[in-house]
Amino acid sequence: QVQLVESGGGLVQAGGSLRLSCVASGRTFSRYPMGWFRQAPGKEREFVAAISWSGGSTSYADSVKGRFTISRDNAKNTVYLQMNSLKLEDTAVYYCAADRTINKPPHYYSNYQRDFGSWGQGTQVTVSS
């Protein structure tokens, strides 16, 4: 497992942008597929974006496609979520997660929470009108 720490959340007006960062501990970060999830008040946690360990493949929820971009810098043990054109409904706690295992194919990613074994503490994103 890896330890994950998110940062970059905050209060932003609708239409604005934020970039979330997730720093991982451990030397094997570069081999973990990663994901971002979010949980709005009163709702279940949901998938936002995922990226393969190689960075060559990504996946997005329909609700954020075209507005959010997931990326990673394996040299810095960091995965990012660039969020543009933010909407009120993007308000949530955002969680970074690492796959349960390494040694996945270089373009593998998962959209399913059950496939992720390490989670960060979350960072709050609040979008105001």
Side-chain angles (χ1 to χ4, degrees), residues 1-2 5 13 19 26-28 34 42 44 50 65 72-73 85 92-93 100-101 107 114-115 125:
Q1 288 190 340
V2 293
V5 179
Q13 286 192 325
R19 188 176 82 155
R27 293 177 294 176
T28 57
M34 299 293 294
E44 294 187 351
K65 202 170 293 184
R72 66 189 298 160
D73 185 339
S85 302
V93 177
R100 291 186 182 278
T101 62
H107 295 292
R114 63 174 181 262
D115 293 326
V125 172

Side-chain angles (χ1 to χ4, degrees), residues 50-127:
I51 189 167
S52 61
W53 65 257
S54 69
S57 295
T58 56
S59 177
Y60 297 92
D62 288 343
S63 59
V64 307
K65 202 170 293 184
R67 300 188 298 119
F68 290 12
T69 302
I70 187 172
S71 62
R72 66 189 298 160
D73 185 339
N74 287 340
K76 295 183 178 180
N77 276 19
T78 303
V79 62
Y80 304 98
L81 186 68
Q82 177 66 44
M83 305 186 295
N84 299 329
S85 302
L86 283 161
K87 303 176 180 180
L88 297 179
E89 52 264 41
D90 294 320
T91 295
V93 177
Y94 283 72
Y95 297 91
C96 170
D99 199 279
R100 291 186 182 278
T101 62
I102 57 176
N103 297 323
K104 296 287 177 60
H107 295 292
Y108 168 91
Y109 59 79
S110 174
N111 298 358
Y112 299 102
Q113 297 186 51
R114 63 174 181 262
D115 293 326
F116 292 84
S118 300
W119 294 81
Q121 82 289 348
T123 186
Q124 176 71 47
V125 172
T126 302
V127 184

